[in-house]
């Protein structure tokens, strides 16, 4: 396989990237280089090329070199476009057509054409769309950051800015035309993209980036690095509040300085260290970086923070592990106050270095903190909340220790080799489609957590068993969202489901003919939308004793999710009935409570799919393990309860017809299907 990456923005080179050199020389370049390095280890990839703009000027001679070999199978090529000079990202649209012509000319000279183009940022997707139209090469898209998110951050009237409007238009086109959209977090896939007209959740996959975290975990402070920080500070031995980001507006460093400046208690407890890119003369900084640095310096002066805030002018990539290690040695924290963080590689680096996090609740940090338990999330627009979270971590040793321990899990959770394996599997599947069954004779739908997955050996047996089941359509029904479910299935190398029933039956997605992407079932959406008054339900339950909302990513358009004990369930039902609101209330594991439209459940969703396939009841098998599977198990005659069930499922009065397997997890599914098939054979 030959993959061509297109990345027009920033100052890209094979090594020694000067991050912060320009406003758009940032995380997407690090992402690209790390992805390519991991991809190159796959023996099934013959060639990888990164194509970027060739330009001359003040940033150095390297960016005018037409070709830079990286390894035996990786090359960086720089191609000319209309302007010979560096172009800021706001002006890149003027280079799209000319760069696309140069790229097609370069492709024509190659021994073979690329199999797939991977476009990074919307301007690269515009190039890829031109190439696809002319040469037939499909493309996938990674946005890295989004114009609509920026517009939301900037507030009213922002989309009237012609540059931002143009960018949003290019992103709309990219979402509409890309074969697959690769997101870094659920927040990106489920919240950030949702504001686009071309938003199609079934064509988005969440593939969290990895990071080379070993060098951060093993890092030690360096006297040279400490000296660049300590010269600013009266008491350098105090704990460090460390921020490491380019000084651009969306990184919101000013809010962190305000939080620190307005909290005398925090000033007494810790120093603030701002590693804000690399600069010589502030006036020479690119884009909005000069304004951001002036704001930071003005705030330091306003709050008279001299001797308590460090803001070194330069640091190199080789210094970053020691910067984290210095903060760890002083019992400090890492703070990311960005207005939105699409992913947040620095959060993983800091965690691997042993630092707890205080991070924005907008974007990828939601996923990272949920996965690792390594910090606290805050509203980045609330300086008092930032200060309070910092003080809480500094003042609660047990919490600090838990967050440090959670950070140690980051290396396993965010691994480039795992990312590359899933990424390559998706690309290969797109290039060699395996379409779903057009007319299945049977249907198996099973829960995911603790039913299909939970035992690696059992899932391996299921995978082999599934491959031999001609005529059997396979689906899942889960409380997870589509993207959360797909992530766990692909991480576990599950067979790809033909149908995805997600969010406790309130959403259904069907596998497309390309065998990779999915299409939402709009007919089902119309069914569950009838009579559903989400805002009224939320208002009626607000503040109810014993009811605590789950995280924002667990809330869906047709699902409200809470933590609650069994006693609270009846209170919830009574409250909704008294308010005249119709809803389906489902409780599971003694902890999770989901409020759905009255028509929504796993059971009704399976019935809808069965009707679509035109199957009789005896052709449908369902399998589950917990209370949120009751509706599905009750509604189908061939119901399987795996041996590792919870919620006293086998004793449930409505499930006496179910088969309780002797084996657990996916083995129990196979056992149950075999049992019912034998019954059918005997009856026939």
């Amino acid at each position: 396989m030959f993959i061509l990456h297109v990345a027009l923005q920033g100052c890209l080179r094979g090594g020694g990237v000067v991050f912060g050199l320009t406003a758009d020389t940032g995380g997407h370049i690090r992402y690209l280089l790390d992805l390519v390095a991991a991809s190159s280890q796959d023996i099934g990839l013959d060639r990888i090329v990164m194509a970027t703009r060739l330009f001359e000027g003040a940033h150095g001679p390297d960016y005018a070199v037409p070709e830079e070999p990286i390894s035996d199978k990786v090359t960086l090529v720089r191609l000319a476009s209309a302007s010979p000079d560096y172009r800021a990202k706001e002006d890149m649209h003027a280079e799209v057509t000319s760069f696309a012509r140069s790229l097609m000319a370069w492709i024509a000279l190659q021994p073979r054409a690329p199999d797939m183009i991977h476009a990074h940022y919307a301007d690269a997707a515009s190039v890829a769309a031109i190439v696809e139209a002319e040469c037939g090469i499909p493309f996938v898209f990674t946005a890295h950051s989004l114009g609509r998110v920026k517009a939301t951050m900037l507030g009213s009237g922002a989309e009237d800015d012609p540059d931002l409007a143009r960018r949003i238009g290019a992103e709309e086109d990219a979402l509409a035309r890309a074969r697959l959209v690769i997101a870094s977090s659920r927040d990106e896939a489920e919240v950030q993209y949702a504001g686009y007209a071309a938003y199609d959740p079934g064509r988005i996959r969440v593939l969290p980036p990895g990071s080379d975290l070993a060098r951060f975990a093993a890092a030690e402070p360096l006297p040279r690095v400490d000296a660049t920080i300590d010269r600013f500070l009266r008491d350098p031995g105090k704990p460090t509040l460390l921020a490491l980001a380019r000084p651009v507006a969306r990184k919101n460093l000013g809010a962190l300085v305000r939080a620190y400046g307005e909290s005398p208690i925090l000033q007494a407890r810790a120093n603030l260290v701002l590693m804000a890119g690399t600069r010589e003369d502030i006036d020479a900084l690119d884009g909005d970086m000069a304004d951001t640095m002036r704001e930071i310096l003005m705030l330091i002066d306003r709050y008279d923070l001299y001797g308590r805030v460090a803001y070194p002018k330069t640091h190199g990539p080789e210094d970053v592990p020691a910067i984290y290690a210095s903060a760890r040695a002083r019992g400090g924290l890492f703070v990311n106050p960005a207005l939105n963080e699409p992913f947040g590689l620095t959060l993983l680096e800091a965690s691997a270095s042993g630092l707890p996090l205080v991070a924005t609740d907008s974007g990828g940090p939601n996923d990272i903190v949920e996965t690792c338990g390594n910090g606290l999330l805050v509203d980045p627009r609330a300086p008092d909340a930032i200060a309070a979270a910092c003080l809480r971590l500094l003042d609660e040793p047990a919490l600090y220790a838990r967050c440090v321990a959670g950070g140690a899990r980051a290396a396993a959770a965010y691994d480039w080799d795992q990312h590359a394996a899933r990424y390559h599997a998706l690309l290969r599947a797109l290039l060699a489609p395996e379409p779903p069954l057009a007319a299945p004779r049977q249907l198996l739908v099973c829960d995911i957590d603790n039913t299909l997955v939970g035992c690696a050996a059992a899932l391996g047996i299921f995978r082999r068993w599934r491959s031999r089941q001609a005529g059997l359509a396979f689906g899942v029904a889960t409380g997870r969202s589509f993207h959360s479910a797909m992530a766990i299935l692909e991480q576990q190398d599950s067979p790809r489901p033909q149908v995805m029933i997600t969010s406790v039956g309130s959403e259904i997605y069907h596998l497309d003919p390309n065998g990779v992407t999915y299409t939402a079932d709009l007919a089902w959406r119309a069914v569950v939308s009838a009579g559903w008054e989400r805002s009224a339900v939320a208002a009626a339950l607000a503040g109810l004793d014993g009811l605590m909302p789950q995280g924002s990513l667990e809330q869906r358009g047709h699902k409200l999710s809470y933590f609650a004990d069994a006693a609270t369930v009846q209170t919830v039902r009574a409250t909704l009935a008294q308010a005249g609101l119709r809803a389906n209330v489902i409780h599971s594991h003694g902890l999770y409570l989901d409020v759905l439209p009255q028509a929504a459940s796993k059971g009704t969703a399976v019935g809808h799919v069965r009707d679509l396939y035109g199957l009789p009841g005896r052709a449908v098998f369902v399998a589950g393990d917990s209370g949120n599977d009751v509706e599905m198990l009750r509604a189908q005659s061939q119901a399987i309860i795996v041996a590792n069930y919870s919620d006293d499922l086998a004793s449930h009065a409505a499930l006496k017809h179910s088969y309780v397997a002797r084996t657990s997890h996916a083995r129990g599914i196979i056992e149950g299907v075999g049992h019912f098939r034998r019954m059918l054979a005997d009856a026939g």
Side-chain angles (χ1 to χ4, degrees):
M1 186 163 57
F2 175 7
I3 301 175
L4 171 63
H5 294 271
V6 179
L8 306 186
Q9 295 185 20
C11 297
L12 175 60
R13 60 189 187 191
V17 173
V18 183
F19 293 102
L21 179 64
T22 63
D24 51 1
T25 303
H28 80 286
I29 287 179
R30 174 72 178 278
Y31 175 109
L32 173 58
L33 292 173
D34 285 353
L35 171 59
V36 165
S39 288
S40 67
Q41 303 305 307
D42 187 332
I43 60 173
L45 262 69
D46 307 306
R47 190 180 181 196
I48 305 171
V49 172
M50 295 178 283
T52 191
R53 284 188 68 244
L54 183 148
F55 58 85
E56 301 170 350
H59 299 307
D62 292 351
Y63 310 108
V65 176
E67 185 167 310
E68 182 182 342
I70 308 296
S71 70
D72 59 344
K73 67 167 69 172
V74 180
T75 307
L76 171 62
V77 299
R78 298 184 181 90
L79 303 173
S81 60
S83 172
D85 302 320
Y86 178 79
R87 283 281 204 177
K89 58 185 177 182
E90 292 80 8
D91 302 321
M92 196 63 72
H93 63 93
E95 308 300 308
V96 164
T97 302
S98 56
F99 185 88
R101 284 198 297 267
S102 294
L103 184 60
M104 288 187 288
W106 178 86
I107 290 171
L109 295 174
Q110 304 310 301
R112 57 174 284 212
D115 295 297
M116 184 72 70
I117 295 174
H118 189 155
H120 300 266
Y121 273 109
D123 44 37
S126 298
V127 169
I130 294 171
V131 175
E132 181 179 33
E134 291 291 325
C135 306
I137 303 170
F139 75 94
V140 298
F141 172 53
T142 298
H144 295 286
S145 67
L146 289 165
R148 284 205 187 279
V149 174
K150 182 176 181 179
T152 300
M153 291 188 296
L154 294 176
S156 176
E159 291 192 28
D160 295 334
D161 175 81
D163 290 332
L164 196 52
R166 188 183 297 110
R167 174 182 173 182
I168 292 170
E171 290 165 351
E172 287 278 17
D173 191 54
L175 289 175
R177 300 186 63 172
R179 301 296 176 92
L180 189 70
V181 177
I182 297 174
S184 293
S185 69
R186 280 181 63 198
D187 184 89
E188 183 183 355
E190 297 177 0
V191 178
Q192 297 177 40
Y193 281 119
Y196 287 79
Y199 176 59
D200 183 353
R203 291 198 302 111
I204 301 173
R205 280 296 204 285
V206 177
L207 299 183
S211 186
D212 178 13
L213 299 181
R215 66 192 183 104
F216 297 100
E220 295 295 334
L222 293 176
R224 171 181 58 79
V225 172
D226 284 349
T228 66
I229 296 170
D230 293 352
R231 66 191 179 92
F232 290 88
L233 304 173
R234 282 196 296 267
D235 185 1
K238 289 199 298 187
T240 297
L241 307 180
L242 172 64
L244 193 154
R246 289 172 294 132
V248 294
R250 76 175 180 86
K251 295 297 184 180
N252 201 32
L253 293 175
L256 176 56
V257 181
R258 286 190 186 89
Y260 186 74
E262 293 172 4
S263 176
I265 300 174
L266 190 56
Q267 293 171 42
R269 289 284 283 114
N271 293 315
L272 177 60
V273 175
L274 304 173
M275 307 303 293
T278 297
R279 62 187 182 279
E280 293 182 6
D281 185 338
I282 287 178
D283 289 336
L285 287 173
D286 183 64
D288 66 0
M289 292 196 293
D291 290 339
T292 299
M293 281 307 307
R294 291 191 192 97
E295 178 195 20
I296 289 170
L297 296 176
M298 179 195 71
L299 290 168
I300 290 170
D301 190 73
R302 174 185 298 170
Y303 294 113
D304 193 17
L305 300 177
Y306 299 104
R308 283 166 287 183
V309 179
Y311 43 97
K313 293 184 68 170
T314 63
H315 67 277
E318 69 281 0
D319 298 331
V320 172
I323 293 169
Y324 293 128
S326 176
R328 178 194 65 216
R330 301 174 201 208
L333 320 170
F334 184 76
V335 187
N336 179 332
L339 293 171
N340 178 267
E341 187 62 66
F343 181 64
L345 288 175
T346 56
L347 300 179
L348 298 180
E349 295 169 355
S351 283
S353 301
L355 292 173
L357 309 177
V358 173
T360 175
D361 64 0
S362 177
N366 280 288
D367 288 32
I368 292 172
V369 170
E370 178 185 47
T371 299
C372 301
N374 52 350
L376 302 175
L377 299 174
V378 294
D379 180 350
R381 295 174 175 81
D384 57 339
I386 297 172
C390 291
L391 282 168
R392 184 182 170 199
L393 282 167
L394 292 172
D395 291 342
E396 297 183 25
L399 175 61
Y400 189 103
R402 286 199 303 273
C403 291
V404 170
R409 293 191 285 269
Y414 296 94
D415 177 75
W416 271 119
D417 290 337
Q418 293 179 28
H419 176 107
R422 289 181 60 201
Y423 168 65
H424 297 159
L426 288 168
L427 297 191
R428 290 185 176 108
L430 284 171
L431 294 170
E434 294 184 13
L437 287 172
R441 298 190 299 274
Q442 290 182 320
L443 170 66
L444 166 65
V445 178
C446 56
D447 178 48
I448 296 178
D449 295 280
N450 297 313
T451 302
L452 180 64
V453 306
C455 175
L459 184 57
I461 293 168
F462 181 87
R463 194 182 305 116
R464 294 187 291 275
W465 174 85
R466 169 74 187 95
S467 68
R468 301 191 297 269
Q469 305 304 306
L472 176 71
F474 165 59
V476 295
T478 177
R480 291 176 178 265
S481 71
F482 171 82
H483 294 105
S484 175
M486 188 54 65
I488 191 69
L489 291 172
E490 291 182 347
Q491 287 164 7
Q492 299 290 327
D493 195 23
S494 162
R496 185 165 290 132
Q498 179 162 331
V499 61
M500 300 273 290
I501 296 169
T502 63
S503 298
V504 204
S506 60
E507 301 173 19
I508 301 176
Y509 297 85
H510 300 282
L511 187 62
D512 292 328
N514 64 19
V516 174
T517 61
Y518 288 78
T519 295
D521 190 320
L522 299 183
W524 182 245
R525 183 179 300 170
V527 169
V528 299
S529 295
W532 173 236
E533 300 177 65
R534 187 185 190 279
S535 58
V537 170
L541 298 180
L544 203 64
D545 287 345
L547 197 64
M548 179 183 298
Q550 294 182 32
S552 59
L553 289 179
E554 304 313 315
Q555 314 303 330
R556 305 288 296 166
H558 293 85
K559 177 172 78 77
L560 291 164
S561 294
Y562 302 88
F563 298 109
D565 59 22
T568 307
V569 177
Q570 296 307 318
T571 305
V572 168
R573 290 191 171 116
T575 300
L576 294 175
Q578 186 175 4
L581 296 168
R582 296 180 300 160
N584 189 11
V585 178
I586 295 177
H587 193 239
S588 61
H589 299 286
L591 178 63
Y592 305 110
L593 187 145
D594 296 300
V595 183
L596 313 169
Q598 190 173 43
S601 73
K602 289 183 179 181
T604 53
V606 170
H608 176 81
V609 173
R610 185 189 71 189
D611 291 343
L612 283 179
Y613 291 171
L615 295 173
R618 65 180 181 277
V620 178
F621 312 99
V622 293
D625 73 288
S626 73
N628 72 9
D629 299 316
V630 168
E631 298 288 338
M632 174 175 72
L633 297 169
R634 177 166 51 194
Q636 300 298 325
S637 60
Q638 299 186 134
I640 303 159
I641 299 174
V642 294
N644 56 297
Y645 63 84
S646 61
D647 297 330
D648 202 23
L649 211 61
S651 301
H652 197 292
L655 303 183
K656 294 186 182 299
H657 65 286
S658 300
Y659 175 77
V660 181
R662 296 183 300 277
T663 51
S664 67
H665 299 96
R667 284 190 181 95
I669 300 171
I670 298 170
E671 179 188 333
V673 171
H675 165 79
F676 284 117
R677 282 176 170 171
R678 286 191 296 273
M679 287 184 61
L680 287 171
D682 292 343

